[in-house]
């Protein structure tokens, strides 16, 4: 029972809302997206909040954000860096970010071909939502940053599930790739939940890379739009 709870807790930490998505579609084409920068993040815990886990177990979870050279498209990749840790709940999850959509992907390690399904995609900002500057600043790793959040109630600046602290003066600019219509720029230094949770995601390092994936982003956007239209027609909202 203790082992089962431990596995459940670890899985919950890295579980994503789209974990039930099945990847049935297959996208293979002559177009590709090249990611030129990799940003690495880590889980940071309060010293008294490891809940039976060791610091080493948390360090086995990798969170990487790959940016294209124009900061218009990006790839979020979450994975365990050893086989033992992977047993806690799936070895890898990838999400392509483009035009306010986040699309779950599975990627072939050999061919770099991409599998996806349009119904797995979800909007980062829903209609009527916007990214709002909060009335607080922070310091992450010795760097000052400004907190932002997506509010559920525009009149209540505490009505958010998570917030993020941005170093707005940094030349690294992954904020724009996640929120392309919000005029935000800078490096996201942390992602924190608006709860009693004692862990957060913290920026660790960056490096130049050259990662090309077989993604036709225009076709992907068209597939999503067509699926959304057909879903509305089949299940109209009263």
């Amino acid at each position: 029972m203790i082992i089962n709870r431990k596995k459940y807790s670890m899985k919950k930490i890295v579980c994503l809302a789209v974990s039930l998505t099945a990847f049935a579609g297959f996208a293979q084409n002559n177009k590709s997206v090249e990611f030129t920068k990799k940003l690495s993040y880590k889980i940071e815990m309060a010293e008294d909040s490891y809940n039976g886990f060791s610091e080493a177990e948390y360090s086995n979870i990798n969170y990487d954000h790959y940016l294209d050279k124009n900061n218009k498209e990006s790839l979020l990749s979450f994975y365990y860096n050893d086989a033992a840790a992977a047993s806690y709940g799936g070895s890898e999850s990838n999400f392509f970010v483009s035009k306010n959509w986040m699309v779950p992907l599975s990627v072939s390690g050999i061919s770099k071909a991409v599998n996806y399904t349009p119904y797995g995609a979800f909007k980062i900002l829903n209609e009527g939502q916007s990214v709002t500057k909060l009335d607080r600043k922070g310091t992450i790793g010795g760097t000052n940053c400004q907190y932002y959040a997506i509010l559920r109630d525009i009149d209540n600046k505490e009505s958010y599930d998570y917030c993020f602290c941005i170093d707005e003066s940094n030349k690294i600019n992954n904020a724009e790739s996640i929120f392309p219509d919000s005029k935000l720029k800078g490096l996201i230094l942390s992602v924190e939940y608006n709860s009693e949770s004692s862990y957060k995601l913290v920026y660790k390092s960056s490096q130049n890379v050259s990662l090309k994936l077989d993604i036709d982003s225009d076709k992907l956007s068209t597939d999503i739009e067509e699926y959304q239209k057909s879903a509305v027609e089949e299940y109209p909202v009263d």
Side-chain angles (χ1 to χ4, degrees):
M1 181 64 70
I2 293 175
I3 293 176
N4 288 339
R5 276 202 298 266
K6 186 175 181 181
K7 287 186 176 182
Y8 175 76
S9 298
M10 177 67 81
K11 185 174 181 179
K12 184 178 180 182
I13 289 174
V14 296
C15 181
L16 299 166
V18 293
S19 60
L20 297 179
T21 301
F23 302 109
F26 183 67
Q28 186 171 17
N29 52 76
N30 295 323
K31 293 186 177 182
S32 64
V33 175
E34 181 177 8
F35 304 102
T36 58
K37 189 171 289 292
K38 172 186 171 183
L39 311 181
S40 296
Y41 290 79
K42 64 180 179 179
I43 292 177
E44 190 172 279
M45 300 285 297
E47 291 185 2
D48 59 347
S49 304
Y50 282 99
N51 299 321
F53 299 100
S54 68
E55 185 176 356
E57 286 178 292
Y58 284 104
S59 68
N60 282 328
I61 308 171
N62 288 26
Y63 294 78
D64 294 331
H65 191 196
Y66 293 85
L67 308 178
D68 77 344
K69 63 181 179 181
N70 298 316
N71 294 316
K72 299 301 181 184
E73 296 171 330
S74 62
L75 178 74
L76 293 168
S77 183
F78 309 88
Y79 60 96
Y80 296 94
N81 58 23
D82 72 7
S87 67
Y88 287 121
S91 57
E92 181 174 329
S93 296
N94 299 297
F95 300 85
F96 181 60
V97 182
S98 178
K99 301 175 183 177
N100 194 41
W101 286 100
M102 192 170 287
V103 188
L105 304 176
S106 62
V107 182
S108 166
I110 298 176
S111 66
K112 295 297 188 293
V114 171
N115 293 273
Y116 73 94
T117 51
Y119 65 79
F122 59 93
K123 285 187 175 181
I124 298 172
L125 292 175
N126 293 317
E127 186 174 353
Q129 288 185 319
S130 62
V131 181
T132 301
K133 179 184 288 189
L134 302 181
D135 299 325
R136 66 188 180 103
K137 299 180 183 293
T139 301
I140 309 294
T143 301
N144 296 329
C145 53
Q146 171 65 52
Y147 278 96
Y148 289 83
I150 301 171
L151 303 182
R152 295 189 298 273
D153 178 356
I154 194 64
D155 296 319
N156 180 4
K157 287 193 174 182
E158 292 299 317
S159 62
Y160 60 86
D161 295 318
Y162 65 90
C163 60
F164 36 94
C165 206
I166 300 177
D167 175 9
E168 297 172 300
S169 63
N170 203 300
K171 291 182 179 179
I172 300 176
N173 180 22
N174 64 335
E176 183 179 19
S177 73
I178 298 290
F179 306 106
D181 300 323
S182 299
K183 298 181 180 179
L184 285 180
K185 290 188 177 182
L187 173 62
I188 298 175
L189 293 180
S190 73
V191 180
E192 306 172 24
Y193 288 96
N194 185 15
S195 67
E196 296 180 357
S197 173
S198 55
Y199 68 89
K200 58 185 176 183
L201 210 57
V202 177
Y203 170 74
K204 183 170 62 174
S205 63
S206 68
Q207 65 184 93
N208 295 327
V209 297
S210 179
L211 172 65
K212 290 184 179 180
L213 293 182
D214 181 16
I215 301 174
D216 185 337
S217 56
D218 291 334
K219 181 180 184 304
L220 186 148
S221 296
T222 299
D223 289 345
I224 293 173
E225 290 172 2
E226 289 179 350
Y227 170 75
Q228 294 289 323
K229 182 179 179 181
S230 65
V232 170
E233 291 174 350
E234 185 172 358
Y235 303 103
V237 178
D238 294 331

